[in-house]
Amino acid sequence: LVGSIERSRHPDIKAAIILGFNDGTFPKRLTEDSILNDDDRAALRDSGLRVGPGARERTFDESLLLYIAATRPSEKLVVTYAAADDAGKTLRPSPYLDALRAACPGLKHRSIGHPIRERTAWDVQCTADLRRRLTEEFRTRPEIKSDEAPVRTFWNTVYSNERERMRNDATSAMVVRSLDEPRIEARAEDGSDVALRLSEPILRRVLGDALKTSITQLESYAACPFQYFAKYVLRLRERAEAVLEPVDLGTVDHAIMEDFTRGLVATGRAFGQLSEDQLAEGLLASFRRVGASIDEEGLLDARNAFALRRSAQRLSRIVHAQRRLASSGRVRPTAAELPFGSGDPGGLPPVEIKTPSGRTVLLGGVIDRVDLVAGEPDAPGIVVDYKRSREKKLDMTRVFHGLSLQLPAYLLALSESRRADSGDRLRPGAALFVSLSLKYRSVDHPDKLSPRDALLRGTLRPRGLISDEIADKLDANNQGWSQNYQLYRNKDGGFGHTDASDVASLAEFEGVLAHARRKIGELADAILSGDVRVSPCRIAHWRPCGWCEMSSVCRVELGLSESRFAEPMKRSDALQKMTASK
């Protein structure tokens, strides 16, 4: 019988097994899931109203359930708990374990190791288990000279005994064949083996003569060629689950900010020119328009409506912060949701890049916001990208290795456009991530918060890349760290703290853009050469496999599969390298 302890009737059983006797499961981790706490429930109950049980009552019920489970069998009780979860994080046993030991003085404790790590077979119960364990054994076993002879002999004997039977089973035969080493069809330019390469006819059918792609796709290829191949060539997707999810707050936040910015662009006003009332009215109007569009799709239930209101309240702080930033400089929004490479009226042309081998790449995308300095026809432009993540900054190591090209590519797209007032080609001057999340600091007392952090009022500074020729237009601070941006001005008027700052000299700024253009071309050449091997990039402890949904297809194994180790660098070193290669 497999069932829950809460069953009101159980048959007479001789033995019982309690699974997962861990803290958080026995007793179940209880949280208040409504606006009523235990004291509120008690007061309502005393006044004669019927309400559900609170956390304290449910905790008592958990103790009763343990008593029922432990006393149900007449002869034998087995209790199991895990020492760690699948990620290796230590788990604690149930706090009821001490009570169980006290009630059963003769209780025997036995520790059972992980079958895969210890290469035991206690978990093999059926043919599917045997296939899985044999596959894991032969793919991960050490070399024979360093292996334990008894363990290796045991698994070799198991395979010998089951080989004939598995050969006649179609599924087992396919699993065994997958253990063969892949045939090497070519070698990469660095001399390493390429286990998977697309042929020229396939490439032309899939990609065409000119590669039309996006920055996201190129970053995916830089992270791992096979990830790009699986997602954007094979177009594999995880199995869709028919579940009702709350509205994606990241999408809602973007939509509200974009609608609000469009209103500013239409009226020709900057954030700093808005009064408190105008800001509140504009944000409320954007909230209503976005909410109405969601409601048309039938998604605005009570839960989503609450999330939408919370989003608007949070964005109110973000917009106030943007107004403060605009007041410190002279920039104003000139475009929102600006597409490039899509052919849309009013959009920008694609970024056209010639690769080192002479091929053509056409980049497309959408820029969340473009700002210009008011009243200066030749002033550089600023691109803004909204992000839900906190502390999002432009890591120059990742830019150097092609893993973070979004902001540089937006600047390249901006350089392909012309000003509406003068017709002059726009010069890129800064690219910034603006976080739509709030941030709070833990301090002993509010008075101990630095004035620079107190000014943020729970928001985050824009981070990215700022050319020193536009820094004064953004923030005219005289000395020290800027209150609004991540830049530091020395006593002599120059900029310092290069590794912690977002400011770059004009030569470094142009070097980053030239390197991004060159890196995009190199990645495009690699794509068009057909190299789609499983080769994730690794920088120190970072690697893309932790969140890649294609790992079940490529069968990458940490520590065993091939990785490309990229050199981590300080910001100043990465800027110097990109500038030197310009």
Side-chain angles (χ1 to χ4, degrees):
L1 170 69
V2 177
S4 63
I5 302 173
E6 289 92 335
R7 287 172 60 109
S8 59
R9 295 171 179 266
H10 285 95
D12 293 332
I13 52 177
K14 296 182 179 180
I17 302 174
I18 301 178
L19 301 174
F21 201 64
N22 285 91
D23 187 19
T25 307
F26 283 92
K28 185 186 299 183
R29 187 173 288 109
L30 301 176
T31 58
E32 287 292 341
D33 54 2
S34 72
I35 60 175
L36 300 178
N37 59 30
D38 283 354
D39 294 334
D40 296 331
R41 292 175 187 275
L44 291 172
R45 196 176 293 111
D46 293 341
S47 65
L49 294 175
R50 295 182 58 184
V51 292
R56 284 194 292 265
E57 294 173 74
R58 286 182 286 164
T59 301
F60 296 148
D61 292 342
E62 290 286 312
S63 302
L64 177 61
L65 290 176
L66 171 63
Y67 176 80
I68 293 173
T71 59
R72 187 65 60 192
S74 59
E75 296 184 12
K76 192 169 186 177
L77 174 67
V78 177
V79 178
T80 72
Y81 61 89
D85 61 13
D86 291 339
K89 182 180 178 182
T90 301
L91 297 178
R92 294 177 298 183
S94 168
Y96 292 157
L97 186 61
D98 292 338
L100 203 58
R101 284 172 171 162
C104 308
L107 199 65
K108 296 180 181 179
H109 184 272
R110 178 184 173 193
S111 178
I112 300 176
H114 194 286
I116 296 177
R117 285 196 292 268
E118 300 188 0
R119 297 167 70 189
T120 58
W122 63 261
D123 64 327
V124 177
Q125 305 291 328
C126 60
T127 301
D129 291 342
L130 181 62
R131 287 195 296 256
R132 174 178 55 84
R133 291 306 313 282
L134 285 174
T135 303
E136 290 165 344
E137 166 66 21
F138 290 128
R139 285 175 60 196
T140 62
R141 60 172 24 177
E143 296 182 3
I144 189 170
K145 60 183 179 181
S146 59
D147 199 4
E148 300 178 30
V151 177
R152 196 179 190 93
T153 300
F154 168 78
W155 285 107
N156 288 347
T157 303
V158 170
Y159 176 67
S160 298
N161 293 339
E162 297 293 323
R163 182 169 52 188
E164 286 300 322
R165 187 177 63 84
M166 293 178 69
R167 182 180 298 171
N168 296 324
D169 177 64
T171 304
S172 298
M174 183 171 60
V175 169
V176 173
R177 283 197 301 272
S178 71
L179 296 173
D180 291 341
E181 289 295 327
R183 181 170 59 90
I184 304 301
E185 299 180 358
R187 291 187 179 276
E189 294 178 359
D190 59 4
S192 60
D193 294 332
V194 179
L196 186 58
R197 183 181 290 276
L198 301 182
S199 65
E200 288 291 335
I202 292 177
L203 283 170
R204 280 195 295 270
R205 287 174 56 188
V206 174
L207 304 176
D209 295 329
L211 180 61
K212 297 179 181 179
T213 186
S214 66
I215 295 302
T216 301
Q217 294 185 25
L218 291 174
E219 290 176 345
S220 175
Y221 188 89
C224 178
F226 186 83
Q227 182 188 85
Y228 166 86
F229 170 66
K231 291 177 67 173
Y232 301 110
V233 179
L234 295 182
R235 298 181 183 178
L236 302 182
R237 297 290 183 271
E238 291 185 292
R239 187 188 301 276
E241 297 183 6
V243 294
L244 290 176
E245 297 286 354
V247 169
D248 183 356
L249 289 182
T251 303
V252 170
D253 290 348
H254 268 76
I256 294 176
M257 286 299 295
E258 287 156 9
D259 187 272
F260 184 83
T261 305
R262 284 197 194 96
L264 293 182
V265 173
T267 58
R269 291 182 297 180
F271 279 95
Q273 296 174 330
L274 297 177
S275 66
E276 286 284 340
D277 292 340
Q278 289 172 332
L279 188 148
E281 291 172 3
L283 192 61
L284 179 61
S286 296
F287 161 72
R288 286 173 174 169
R289 281 191 290 269
V290 173
S293 65
I294 295 175
D295 198 22
E296 289 177 0
E297 300 173 7
L299 299 175
L300 203 60
D301 57 12
R303 179 182 181 183
N304 287 333
F306 173 75
L308 187 61
R309 288 195 298 273
R310 287 287 300 272
S311 179
Q313 293 168 3
R314 182 179 64 256
L315 290 181
S316 176
R317 287 197 180 190
I318 305 298
V319 173
H320 275 85
Q322 291 293 295
R323 188 180 68 158
R324 190 189 70 249
L325 292 175
S327 300
S328 69
R330 292 180 287 123
V331 298
R332 62 176 177 83
T334 59
E337 278 288 281
L338 181 63
F340 63 95
S342 63
D344 292 348
L348 302 181
V351 178
E352 184 172 339
I353 295 175
K354 289 293 182 183
T355 72
S357 63
R359 299 181 174 104
T360 301
V361 186
L362 299 176
L363 279 182
V366 178
I367 304 174
D368 286 342
R369 195 176 96 208
V370 176
D371 292 352
L372 292 177
V373 179
E376 295 192 21
D378 61 340
I382 304 157
V383 296
V384 173
D385 188 54
Y386 298 125
K387 292 293 182 186
R388 277 277 295 167
S389 54
R390 296 180 177 89
E391 303 290 355
K392 179 67 173 178
K393 63 180 181 179
L394 189 60
D395 187 335
M396 287 303 161
T397 295
R398 292 168 61 84
V399 173
F400 182 82
H401 295 296
L403 297 165
S404 184
L405 296 172
Q406 188 179 45
L407 287 187
Y410 287 171
L411 292 173
L412 292 175
L414 194 66
S415 67
E416 300 291 330
S417 63
R418 296 183 180 276
R419 295 185 66 114
D421 50 5
S422 64
D424 296 332
R425 187 176 293 275
L426 275 171
R427 291 186 298 120
L432 299 169
F433 290 122
V434 171
S435 176
L436 301 183
S437 296
L438 299 179
K439 177 185 179 180
Y440 298 95
R441 290 183 179 274
S442 177
V443 293
D444 295 333
H445 190 275
D447 293 342
K448 295 185 178 181
L449 190 65
S450 70
R452 186 167 181 253
D453 287 328
L455 186 66
L456 295 176
R457 297 182 61 83
T459 60
L460 294 132
R461 289 185 186 88
R463 298 298 306 272
L465 180 65
I466 303 171
S467 171
D468 59 2
E469 72 165 345
I470 201 175
D472 289 337
K473 308 291 192 303
L474 291 175
D475 194 310
N477 71 305
N478 295 321
Q479 190 176 326
W481 283 106
S482 164
Q483 300 281 0
N484 302 304
Y485 295 91
Q486 191 70 8
L487 58 90
Y488 182 90
R489 192 179 291 279
N490 298 321
K491 293 181 180 179
D492 60 2
F495 295 97
H497 292 278
T498 304
D499 289 326
S501 172
D502 289 337
V503 174
S505 67
L506 181 59
E508 291 170 336
F509 188 86
E510 293 176 346
V512 171
L513 298 192
H515 176 81
R517 182 180 289 273
R518 184 170 56 255
K519 194 67 181 180
I520 289 170
E522 293 172 358
L523 292 171
D525 268 343
I527 291 173
L528 293 170
S529 70
D531 180 6
V532 290
R533 55 183 159 162
V534 179
S535 180
C537 179
R538 182 167 182 174
I539 302 177
H541 298 293
W542 178 90
R543 60 186 298 158
C545 305
W547 64 88
C548 178
E549 63 270 23
M550 300 302 161
S551 57
S552 59
V553 182
C554 71
R555 301 184 305 172
V556 67
E557 297 183 30
L558 301 182
L560 296 174
S561 300
E562 176 192 0
S563 292
R564 290 174 290 117
F565 287 87
E567 176 190 6
M569 293 176 283
K570 293 192 299 184
R571 183 177 185 271
S572 55
D573 293 338
L575 287 173
Q576 183 179 8
K577 283 192 173 186
M578 289 187 278
T579 305
S581 61
K582 183 178 65 171

